[in-house]
Amino acid sequence: ILLQQLDTREMASSSAQGGYEHDFIDAVRDDLTCQICQLPARDPQQTTCCGKVYCKSCINRLQSSDCPNCECCLVSEGSKQYFPDKASDRRIKLLKTKCDHHKKG
């Protein structure tokens, strides 16, 4: 199953927070992993300071405005120092996952 297919079902759920908690067939590359929740980033955002990827919900929940990786300011004079990373989003959504019921046989 492609993650893209699973994502449309999850988007209906307003409680979806953090990264994707699916059982992936192949290992997920580190550059697609949120630096906060350590899962493949959901709605990935890339920082302009160090280029690291975070889930949108994770970066929005940060208590401080500093980047967890390099401690630069993520919010400066009202503007955000991160942007939607559409390339990472495409790569993440093309990852293959095991069926949700694969453990049941």
Side-chain angles (χ1 to χ4, degrees):
I1 298 175
L2 289 178
L3 187 58
Q4 193 169 16
Q5 295 166 330
L6 293 171
D7 193 43
T8 50
R9 285 186 270 170
E10 290 176 348
M11 298 227 4
S13 169
S14 61
S15 63
Q17 295 290 318
Y20 294 104
E21 295 187 58
H22 298 292
D23 196 357
F24 291 91
I25 293 175
D26 296 319
V28 179
R29 294 179 6 199
D30 287 343
D31 63 331
L32 301 177
T33 301
C34 173
Q35 299 296 300
I36 296 172
C37 69
Q38 299 300 306
L39 294 169
R42 184 187 306 265
D43 195 8
Q45 306 291 306
Q46 186 180 116
T47 59
T48 57
C49 49
C50 60
K52 296 292 184 185
V53 171
Y54 299 89
C55 299
K56 184 175 185 177
S57 61
C58 289
I59 206 166
N60 286 338
R61 285 191 311 243
L62 284 176
Q63 296 299 316
S64 72
S65 61
D66 293 339
C67 175
N69 185 60
C70 68
E71 299 180 5
C72 73
C73 186
L74 292 177
V75 180
S76 177
E77 297 178 18
S79 67
K80 296 178 180 175
Q81 303 301 310
Y82 55 92
F83 59 92
D85 188 343
K86 293 181 182 184
S88 290
D89 193 40
R90 280 192 302 274
R91 286 194 292 274
I92 291 166
K93 288 181 178 175
L94 288 174
L95 294 171
K96 293 182 181 178
T97 61
K98 294 180 180 176
C99 171
D100 290 340
H101 305 289
H102 79 277
K103 292 180 182 174
K104 296 177 183 176

